[in-house]
């Protein structure tokens, strides 16, 4: 558990920070940062320490909420303080221990793990409870340590420090949400991988279970974003209606700034939610294309089988007729009957192939389906004089017409 005291510079209008309380200056607020290890094993003792340092009596039910590692995003307003529980998506940058030796076990849903971050906000104090290894908090604590290593006159030069507890809470939330944006590239690569697996044609797709888990992860992220947006909206309503944790001479100005930051934070979460929806839609589109390709290939196979059946049906009829056990069949004892029958079968086969070709049932080439439908609509019957449509023959026919008219 670490304490940071924010106070106003004695001569300049900006905020400074120190590890110990500074007297004879205007105190802004105190930030007490705790890990879950500080609370889980010694809840009652931690509650008494918070009461001694900040004069805040944490409600017993809220203490149970803080101890619940699976508590959803929530916001609750009390007379003495406000409680905000924000579930953070565990990213690769986090060093949170979730293995067998972890203090608490996370409920991993389809490979998605989240971690609760709790904020107790008052007009003079901010209490945060998070798991050890949270990258957003570790980065911000490192920044605060670097600022405290400087003199008081130089602490406000690189970046202005928070002036109110809610301002600091929103900055920490913004740092956590910005970490989500780094997940866009790996998520996009995963979607591209599944698109390639679904649309490849050299082998059958069999990873349906893994694909189902990937799709469920996107749905869980979308649900998490909805919970976060609801909690932030309740926080914003509290700021607008009766938020008493903003103090200072420019009360309205600070309130407007807080509202802008809450809206910006909500907008970031909505961006992540919309991006997740787009990725889920891309996977669903790839699944639809996969089944469409399978259906198209099945139709192509059935078309080929139907053509083969149609070509051999007349041949089967002829062989069946001349295979009957009658004593007198025309041409049965003719010396050229066999060759006549082969010629008839050959002519029948060639005629059917020409018919199918003219109907674009075989040898489609690069003709589109729309062109085929238009061809079928315009030519409902087979034109046996199709060779007259060729351009050289058309020119010859025109010249013959001219000669005939001159005569």
């Amino acid at each position: 558990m670490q304490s940071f005291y924010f106070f106003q510079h004695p001569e300049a209008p900006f905020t400074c920070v120190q590890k110990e309380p500074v007297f004879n200056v205007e105190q802004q607020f105190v930030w007490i940062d705790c890990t879950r290890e500080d609370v889980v094993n010694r809840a009652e003792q931690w509650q008494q320490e918070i009461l001694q340092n900040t004069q805040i009596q944490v409600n017993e039910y809220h203490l149970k909420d803080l101890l619940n590692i699976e508590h959803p995003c929530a916001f609750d307003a009390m007379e003495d303080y406000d409680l905000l529980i924000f579930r953070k998506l565990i990213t690769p940058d986090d060093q949170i221990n979730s293995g067998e030796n972890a203090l608490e076990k996370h409920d991993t849903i389809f490979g998605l793990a989240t971690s609760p971050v709790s904020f107790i906000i008052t007009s003079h104090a901010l209490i945060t409870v998070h798991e050890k290894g949270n990258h957003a908090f570790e980065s911000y604590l490192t920044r605060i340590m670097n600022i405290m290593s400087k003199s008081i006159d130089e602490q406000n030069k690189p970046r202005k420090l928070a002036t109110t507890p809610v301002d600091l809470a929103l900055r920490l939330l913004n740092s956590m949400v910005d970490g989500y944006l780094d997940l866009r590239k790996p998520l996009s690569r995963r979607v591209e991988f599944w698109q390639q697996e679904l649309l490849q044609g050299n082998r059958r797709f069999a990873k349906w279970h893994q694909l189902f888990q990937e799709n469920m992860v996107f749905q869980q992220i979308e649900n998490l974003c909805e919970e976060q947006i609801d909690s932030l909206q309740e926080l914003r309503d509290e700021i607008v209606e009766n938020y008493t944790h903003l103090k200072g001479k420019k009360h309205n100005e600070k309130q407007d700034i807080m509202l802008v930051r809450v809206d910006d934070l909500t907008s970031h979460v909505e961006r992540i939610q919309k991006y997740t929806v787009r990725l889920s839609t891309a996977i669903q589109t790839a699944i639809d294309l996969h089944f469409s390709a399978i259906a198209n290939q099945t139709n192509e196979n059935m078309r080929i089988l139907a053509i083969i059946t149609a070509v051999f049906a007349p041949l089967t009829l002829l062989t069946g007729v001349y295979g009957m056990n009658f004593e007198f069949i025309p041409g049965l004892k003719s010396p050229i009957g066999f060759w006549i029958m082969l010629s008839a079968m050959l002519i029948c086969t060639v005629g059917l192939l020409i018919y199918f070709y003219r109907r674009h049932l075989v040898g489609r080439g690069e003709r589109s389906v729309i062109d085929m439908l238009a061809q079928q609509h315009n030519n409902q019957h087979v034109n046996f004089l199709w060779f007259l449509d060729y351009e050289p023959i058309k020119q010859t026919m025109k010249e013959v017409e001219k000669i005939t008219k001159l005569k």
Side-chain angles (χ1 to χ4, degrees):
M1 186 168 62
Q2 305 181 74
S3 300
F4 302 93
Y5 294 87
F6 293 78
F7 60 94
Q8 188 173 359
H9 193 275
E11 299 179 358
F14 61 83
T15 304
C16 303
V17 60
Q18 290 294 334
K19 287 284 291 184
E20 300 295 335
V22 181
F23 302 98
N24 300 326
V25 294
E26 183 182 353
Q27 296 287 340
Q28 297 283 359
F29 66 96
V30 57
W31 174 29
I32 299 179
D33 181 61
C34 311
T35 61
R36 292 190 61 85
E37 295 178 356
D38 301 329
V39 184
V40 172
N41 296 328
R42 44 192 293 275
E44 295 181 359
Q45 185 178 355
W46 176 84
Q47 188 178 15
Q48 293 298 324
E49 292 177 356
I50 295 298
L51 179 61
Q52 294 175 2
N53 295 330
T54 62
Q55 304 302 318
I56 299 175
Q57 180 65 42
V58 180
N59 187 279
E60 294 181 0
Y61 294 100
H62 287 168
L63 184 59
K64 293 180 180 179
D65 294 339
L66 295 177
L67 296 175
N68 184 9
I69 195 173
E70 300 302 333
H71 197 285
C73 297
F75 178 82
D76 191 13
M78 301 286 290
E79 294 182 359
D80 300 334
Y81 61 87
D82 289 345
L83 174 65
L84 173 65
I85 299 179
F86 195 87
R87 294 203 67 85
K88 177 189 181 299
L89 184 65
I90 297 179
T91 61
D93 295 332
D94 295 321
Q95 302 296 327
I96 297 176
N97 187 9
S98 59
E100 297 180 355
N101 298 326
L103 179 64
E104 298 173 287
K105 300 297 182 182
H106 293 81
D107 187 11
T108 304
I109 303 176
F110 299 106
L112 178 66
T114 57
S115 174
V117 180
S118 303
F119 298 86
I120 298 177
I121 310 172
T122 67
S123 60
H124 62 278
L126 172 65
I127 304 171
T128 57
V129 180
H130 59 88
E131 289 192 271
K132 186 178 180 180
N134 191 315
H135 178 71
F137 275 84
E138 296 292 339
S139 300
Y140 202 86
L141 288 173
T142 303
R143 186 186 307 168
I144 293 294
M145 293 296 182
N146 293 333
I147 292 175
M148 288 192 303
S149 63
K150 302 178 182 178
S151 63
I152 296 179
D153 296 332
E154 297 180 354
Q155 285 190 2
N156 204 51
K157 289 184 178 179
R159 185 178 180 183
K160 292 184 178 181
L161 293 172
T163 57
T164 59
V166 66
D167 187 9
L168 180 57
L170 291 177
R171 293 188 183 193
L172 292 171
L173 288 172
N174 187 65
S175 178
M176 288 189 294
V177 173
D178 286 344
Y180 293 177
L181 300 178
D182 297 334
L183 296 175
R184 290 181 297 179
K185 288 185 177 179
L187 289 178
S188 299
R189 291 174 182 173
R190 293 298 301 172
V191 171
E192 292 177 358
F193 168 77
W194 288 115
Q195 287 177 339
Q196 294 177 359
E197 288 291 321
L198 285 168
L199 300 180
Q200 49 82 25
N202 55 351
R203 62 183 183 276
R204 180 172 297 182
F205 182 79
K207 301 178 181 179
W208 292 109
H209 182 67
Q210 294 88 335
L211 180 60
F212 172 75
Q213 289 186 346
E214 292 278 349
N215 199 21
M216 289 302 299
V217 166
F218 291 128
Q219 295 183 10
Q220 292 297 326
I221 295 177
E222 183 180 356
N223 296 335
L224 177 64
C225 291
E226 290 181 358
E227 294 180 1
Q228 294 175 349
I229 292 173
D230 293 339
S231 301
L232 293 174
Q233 185 61 41
E234 292 181 5
L235 175 62
R236 189 185 190 282
D237 295 339
E238 186 70 12
I239 294 176
V240 173
E241 294 174 1
N242 58 346
Y243 202 75
T244 60
H245 307 303
L246 297 172
K247 65 177 183 177
K249 298 179 180 180
K250 298 181 180 179
H251 183 278
N252 293 330
E253 181 181 353
K254 289 183 179 179
Q255 186 182 35
D256 294 339
I257 293 175
M258 294 304 105
L259 292 177
V260 170
R261 289 187 176 178
V262 172
D263 293 339
D264 181 68
L265 188 60
T266 305
S267 176
H268 284 188
V269 178
E270 290 177 349
R271 284 174 54 192
I272 297 168
Q273 185 182 23
K274 292 179 180 178
Y275 187 76
T276 305
V277 171
R278 289 198 298 268
L279 294 180
S280 180
T281 304
I283 289 182
Q284 187 62 42
T285 303
I287 293 175
D288 295 339
L289 289 175
H290 173 76
F291 285 112
S292 298
I294 290 177
N296 183 56
Q297 187 171 0
T298 303
N299 294 335
E300 187 72 15
N301 295 336
M302 294 302 297
R303 183 181 66 87
I304 295 174
L305 293 176
I307 292 173
I308 295 175
T309 304
V311 169
F312 280 92
L315 307 183
T316 305
L317 176 62
L318 293 175
T319 55
V321 169
Y322 279 88
M324 294 180 181
N325 295 323
F326 290 104
E327 185 178 356
F328 299 101
I329 296 178
L332 183 61
K333 297 183 180 181
S334 174
I336 59 173
F338 174 75
W339 303 108
I340 293 175
M341 181 59 62
L342 286 181
S343 301
M345 295 171 67
L346 180 61
I347 293 172
C348 183
T349 302
V350 173
L352 287 173
L353 291 176
I354 293 174
Y355 171 79
F356 291 143
Y357 180 80
R358 295 292 297 168
R359 301 291 290 182
H360 299 286
L361 296 177
V362 293
R364 290 183 180 180
E366 297 181 356
R367 293 178 60 88
S368 64
V369 178
I370 297 177
D371 295 337
M372 292 170 54
L373 294 176
Q375 181 72 20
Q376 291 182 0
H377 178 73
N378 295 329
N379 300 326
Q380 294 295 332
H381 303 285
V382 179
N383 183 14
F384 290 99
L385 301 178
W386 54 271
F387 55 88
L388 296 178
D389 294 334
Y390 288 107
E391 194 63 28
I393 298 180
K394 284 185 178 180
Q395 295 294 334
T396 305
M397 296 297 293
K398 289 181 181 179
E399 293 178 358
V400 171
E401 289 180 358
K402 289 181 181 181
I403 294 173
T404 305
K405 289 180 180 179
L406 290 175
K407 289 182 179 182

